[in-house]
């Protein structure tokens, strides 16, 4: 019995037809550069063609597998965002790049080691530890949880299994959540995110953009609307979370959560600033969490200025809980996380109501001051509008677009304007909205200090009104 019968693979190699002479000349021809280039990438770097042996075929197949590109991931994979890109790719660029931690630190994003507790930190900790009105989960559920976590092969499975057991679901149609979605609507380079890609938390929960109508929150508040060109985008959320798969680096998750928290703090501060308000100095109203299914870590976030005036974003730990060591630990973790959800939801609704009420007041104020045009800002080379404040009377002519100061009344002025004044020489014609009060008093309008103050407030009101 020959060797080809005992080793069939040799027979298959020997049965490969030889390359015809004409084809061989074509491959070796200098006129055909493309085949020569491909051959140079897949064969030995010599002028002699590789022999068609079993070893060379195996080597060729191995090289072909290395060079084969993988098929694009399916968009049904929960680890892939709406952009169609794998979350692992984008997260690598934004968080595990060698310079991320250093750049974040330069931008003022502090880790727990450098962060300081907020003045209301004890209130935050107590709030998350409060007993809930609902019953605790039964012990069999805890045992099922352990089984799910220990059997999870990857991060996507943990997000589904852990999220379903620990997180609370709300029935509000306008209050929603998103998983692994980059903040495509977030502004670039607003300080803390300089040189960094957009935040992309594994979990974020908040109100939808439509709940803020008629207030144009996307136009008025920087960083409020998370997703670009999405009328249902989450807006001004107060809670975000990061998951890690089995055996993954939880320190990386904490760093991602610090970035997420800074983004939410910035947006909240912008919303309050728009209304002329602010949280008490250093108060924490934003919460983030990290978990790998086994451990749950909660953080409070706030911003505070340094002595030099720069803004720093603090991430201070609230509590760390082991979810699988004991039934009590599982209940504690579940309670803390759900309390954090409830408080974030309360803060989201409260901020939304404040913005809408402020919008309503601005519109109402604008309707009552239609006739009182806001004074223009000073223009170089032109005297300010209050230059004649103490030099005599002036009148406001109906339909006149801008206040024009009028010099002191003279007989010549009265004569030139007699065709459009009342019979009383000192009464001026007021705009329609203030005519009745002016006519009844019979007096002339003067540029008093109280009126100047009112006009100044009207100017601010118009600038903030839409």
């Amino acid at each position: 019995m020959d060797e080809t019968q005992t080793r069939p693979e040799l027979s298959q190699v020997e049965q490969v037809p030889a390359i015809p002479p004409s084809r061989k000349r074509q491959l070796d021809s200098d006129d055909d550069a493309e085949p020569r280039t491909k051959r140079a990438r897949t064969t030995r770097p010599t002028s002699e063609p590789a022999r068609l042996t079993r070893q060379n075929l195996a080597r060729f197949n191995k090289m072909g597998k290395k060079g084969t590109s993988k098929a694009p991931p399916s968009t049904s994979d929960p680890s892939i965002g709406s952009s169609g890109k794998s979350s692992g790719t984008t997260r690598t660029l934004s968080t595990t790049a060698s310079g991320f931690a250093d750049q974040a630190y330069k931008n003022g994003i502090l880790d727990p080691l450098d962060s300081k507790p907020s003045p209301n930190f004890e209130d935050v900790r107590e709030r998350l530890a409060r007993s809930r009105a609902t019953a605790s989960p039964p012990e069999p559920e805890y045992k099922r949880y352990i089984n799910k976590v220990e059997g999870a092969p990857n991060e996507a499975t943990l997000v589904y299994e852990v999220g379903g057991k620990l997180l609370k679901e709300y029935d509000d149609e306008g209050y929603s959540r998103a998983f692994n979605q980059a903040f495509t609507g977030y502004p670039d380079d607003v300080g803390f995110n300089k040189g960094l890609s957009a935040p992309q938390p594994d979990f974020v929960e908040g109100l939808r953009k439509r709940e803020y109508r008629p207030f144009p929150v996307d136009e008025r508040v920087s960083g409020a609307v998370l997703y670009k060109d999405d009328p249902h985008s989450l807006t001004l959320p107060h809670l975000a979370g990061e998951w890690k798969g089995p055996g993954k680096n939880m320190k990386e998750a904490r760093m991602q959560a610090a970035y997420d928290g800074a983004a939410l703090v910035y947006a909240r501060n912008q919303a309050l600033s728009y209304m002329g308000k602010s949280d008490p100095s250093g108060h924490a109203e934003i919460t983030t969490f990290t978990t790998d299914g086994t451990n749950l870590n909660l953080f409070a976030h706030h911003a505070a200025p340094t002595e030099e005036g720069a803004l720093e974003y603090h991430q201070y730990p609230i509590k760390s809980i082991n979810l699988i060591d004991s039934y009590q630990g599982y209940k504690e973790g579940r309670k803390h996380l759900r309390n954090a959800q409830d408080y974030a939801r309360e803060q989201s609704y409260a901020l939304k109501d404040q913005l809408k009420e402020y919008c309503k007041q601005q519109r109402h104020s604008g309707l009552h001051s239609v006739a009182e045009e806001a004074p223009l800002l000073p223009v170089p080379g032109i005297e300010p509008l209050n230059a004649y404040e103490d030099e005599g009377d002036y009148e406001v002519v109906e339909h006149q677009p801008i206040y024009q100061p009028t010099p002191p009344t003279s007989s010549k002025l009265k004569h030139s304007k007699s065709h459009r004044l009342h019979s009383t020489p000192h009464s001026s014609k007021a705009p329609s909205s203030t005519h009745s009060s002016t006519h009844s008093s019979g007096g002339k309008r003067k540029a008093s200090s109280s009126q100047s103050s009112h006009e100044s407030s009207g100017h601010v009101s118009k600038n903030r009104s839409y």
Side-chain angles (χ1 to χ4, degrees):
M1 181 178 298
D2 58 27
E3 191 175 2
T4 59
Q5 294 177 348
T6 58
R7 301 176 64 181
E9 63 274 12
L10 293 180
S11 175
Q12 294 177 3
V13 172
E14 293 173 356
Q15 293 175 6
V16 175
I19 299 176
S22 59
R23 178 58 176 167
K24 184 176 181 181
R25 284 193 300 270
Q26 182 181 358
L27 292 176
D28 292 340
S29 172
D30 291 337
D31 297 333
D32 194 354
E34 181 63 21
R36 287 177 61 85
T37 303
K38 291 184 178 180
R39 186 185 65 185
R41 294 176 180 174
T42 57
T43 62
R44 294 176 297 177
T46 63
S47 58
E48 180 183 359
R51 297 180 59 188
L52 194 59
T53 63
R54 182 182 59 174
Q55 292 81 3
N56 288 339
L57 284 176
R59 187 181 298 111
F60 180 81
N61 290 333
K62 185 177 180 180
M63 294 174 66
K65 290 179 180 179
K66 288 183 179 180
T68 302
S69 60
K70 295 182 180 180
S74 170
T75 55
S76 61
D77 189 337
S79 65
I80 300 172
S82 64
S83 62
K85 295 182 179 180
S86 170
S87 61
T89 301
T90 56
R91 297 303 283 262
T92 298
L93 293 175
S94 62
T95 58
T96 61
S98 59
F100 176 84
D102 186 58
Q103 183 63 44
Y105 182 79
K106 291 178 180 178
N107 293 350
I109 302 176
L110 306 181
D111 60 20
L113 184 64
D114 295 322
S115 296
K116 297 179 181 179
S118 61
N120 66 331
F121 175 72
E122 290 302 326
D123 294 337
V124 173
R125 174 177 284 177
E126 179 184 352
R127 186 184 305 114
L128 268 59
R130 290 175 184 170
S131 298
R132 298 184 60 79
T134 56
S136 298
E139 190 168 0
E141 180 179 318
Y142 159 67
K143 294 180 178 179
R144 288 194 297 269
Y145 176 83
I146 295 178
N147 182 58
K148 296 290 187 181
V149 170
E150 293 184 344
N154 53 37
E155 183 177 312
T157 305
L158 275 177
V159 171
Y160 179 80
E161 298 294 354
V162 173
K165 301 296 183 185
L166 298 181
L167 292 169
K168 178 181 178 180
E169 293 187 13
Y170 297 97
D171 295 330
D172 315 32
E173 291 184 359
Y175 196 76
S176 186
R177 56 177 61 172
F179 293 88
N180 194 26
Q181 181 78 358
F183 292 178
T184 56
Y186 213 84
D188 296 329
D189 193 5
V190 290
F192 76 92
N193 64 347
K194 179 180 179 181
L196 301 175
S197 59
Q200 186 176 336
D202 290 322
F203 169 85
V204 65
E205 190 171 52
L207 287 165
R208 293 180 178 175
K209 178 181 173 182
R210 68 183 185 189
E211 299 301 312
Y212 288 80
R213 294 177 298 183
F215 175 64
V217 63
D218 55 337
E219 301 175 7
R220 305 298 184 185
V221 181
S222 174
V225 179
L226 302 185
Y227 312 126
K228 185 178 181 180
D229 300 328
D230 183 359
H232 303 289
S233 169
L234 296 187
T235 303
L236 291 172
H238 285 67
L239 177 69
E242 296 286 353
W243 268 273
K244 283 298 171 186
K248 296 298 179 65
N249 190 351
M250 288 298 291
K251 184 178 179 180
E252 182 180 310
R254 186 183 67 194
M255 184 167 56
Q256 292 170 341
Y259 189 33
D260 302 337
L264 303 190
V265 168
Y266 170 83
R268 175 179 172 84
N269 288 345
Q270 291 294 308
L272 293 172
S273 177
Y274 175 77
M275 297 182 289
K277 302 179 180 180
S278 65
D279 284 324
S281 179
H283 271 224
E285 305 295 348
I286 300 297
T287 309
T288 66
F289 67 88
T290 64
T291 183
D292 58 356
T294 299
N295 297 289
L296 174 68
N297 310 290
L298 295 122
F299 304 93
H301 296 260
H302 70 278
T306 64
E307 295 179 356
E308 295 76 17
L311 202 60
E312 290 183 331
Y313 294 84
H314 296 254
Q315 178 194 32
Y316 199 79
I318 302 173
K319 193 174 183 62
S320 295
I321 305 170
N322 190 298
L323 299 169
I324 65 175
D325 266 0
S326 66
Y327 174 44
Q328 182 63 29
Y330 173 73
K331 292 191 296 182
E332 281 293 306
R334 185 176 182 269
K335 176 181 69 177
H336 277 72
L337 186 55
R338 294 194 173 203
N339 282 340
Q341 282 185 273
D342 287 347
Y343 185 68
R345 178 173 172 271
E346 292 174 9
Q347 291 297 95
S348 294
Y349 273 101
L351 185 57
K352 182 259 298 182
D353 292 341
Q354 291 179 48
L355 288 169
K356 293 181 70 172
E357 179 62 25
Y358 181 79
C359 172
K360 181 179 179 181
Q361 291 177 0
Q362 293 299 98
R363 295 179 65 189
H364 183 73
S365 174
L367 291 175
H368 284 272
S369 60
V370 173
E372 298 180 5
E373 298 263 347
L376 299 178
L377 295 175
V379 179
I382 299 178
E383 291 182 296
L385 297 179
N386 61 354
Y388 301 95
E389 189 173 74
D390 298 324
E391 296 185 12
D393 300 336
Y394 69 91
E395 65 177 5
V396 180
V397 181
E398 192 171 24
H399 302 301
Q400 187 171 349
I402 307 174
Y403 282 126
Q404 295 292 343
T406 305
T409 305
S410 65
S411 59
K412 181 178 180 180
L413 177 63
K414 293 177 182 178
H415 176 72
S416 64
K417 296 181 179 180
S418 59
H419 66 283
R420 56 187 178 89
L421 295 176
H422 290 292
S423 59
T424 304
H426 296 288
S427 64
S428 61
K429 183 177 181 181
S432 58
S433 62
T434 57
H435 176 69
S436 58
S437 60
T438 305
H439 180 72
S440 61
S441 63
K444 54 188 175 182
R445 304 183 55 169
K446 292 193 177 280
S448 63
S449 60
S450 61
Q451 182 180 358
S452 176
S453 174
H454 178 70
E455 290 169 357
S456 176
S457 64
H459 172 60
V460 175
S461 172
K462 183 176 181 181
N463 282 344
R464 287 181 178 169
S465 175
Y466 67 97

